[in-house]
Amino acid sequence: MGVGGTTIMPRSVAKIMFMLAALLPPASEAADMQQRDITFNNEPRNYVLYVPDTAKTPAPMILLLHGSFGSAAGITALWKADADANGIVLVAPTSRIISGWNIIGDHPDFLRAAILDAATQHPIDPRRMYPIGRES
């Protein structure tokens, strides 16, 4: 406990919180990204969808896989300018655990389910779907 009943955070916790905050996009960048909630294998899951105003119908799509300890919103923010310039829809699923992707828990069918759900929001050209991953 600090002075006047305030709690003082240990430095290690403060450092971790700072690092996690750095992974999030600024609020202005996240404003037009949409978090979509879906159910996969009877479990709630989510992904970030970004459809730029420049997207045609049907649009090309990039499937963004964030790195370990990354976030769907963070990787989407990195690709927004390219998506805007080229009319590309961005779909960024969130892994089940923050430490990274797992072939069992994050089955490829989950990625497919996210893409199919995104296609209900904006038509996607199935001949122009590109996966991109990032590892930290």
Side-chain angles (χ1 to χ4, degrees):
M1 240 352 147
V3 179
T6 60
T7 302
I8 298 175
M9 192 179 312
R11 285 183 188 212
S12 58
V13 174
K15 285 180 185 178
I16 291 169
M17 290 179 68
F18 177 77
M19 288 187 302
L20 290 175
L23 297 173
L24 298 174
S28 61
E29 288 186 6
D32 48 2
M33 290 188 250
Q34 180 184 23
Q35 180 174 310
R36 303 272 306 159
D37 296 316
I38 60 175
T39 300
F40 177 74
N41 282 347
N42 297 317
E43 190 176 324
R45 300 294 299 270
N46 63 67
Y47 70 95
V48 170
L49 173 64
Y50 178 67
V51 180
D53 293 336
T54 56
K56 304 245 186 313
T57 299
M61 182 218 68
I62 296 178
L63 178 70
L64 299 170
L65 301 176
H66 64 79
S68 300
F69 301 98
S71 71
I75 194 168
T76 303
L78 294 174
W79 281 86
K80 275 185 60 180
D82 290 317
D84 289 337
N86 297 291
I88 300 170
V89 171
L90 303 177
V91 176
T94 302
S95 63
R96 281 184 72 218
I97 55 174
I98 194 167
S99 61
W101 295 93
N102 177 296
I103 192 67
I104 296 168
D106 294 310
H107 195 276
D109 285 342
F110 164 59
L111 305 179
R112 184 174 188 271
I115 293 167
L116 291 173
D117 185 74
T120 68
Q121 302 303 301
H122 187 88
I124 293 172
D125 184 345
R127 295 167 299 162
R128 296 187 297 161
M129 299 188 333
Y130 309 98
I132 294 179
R134 179 174 181 182
E135 187 50 50
S136 13

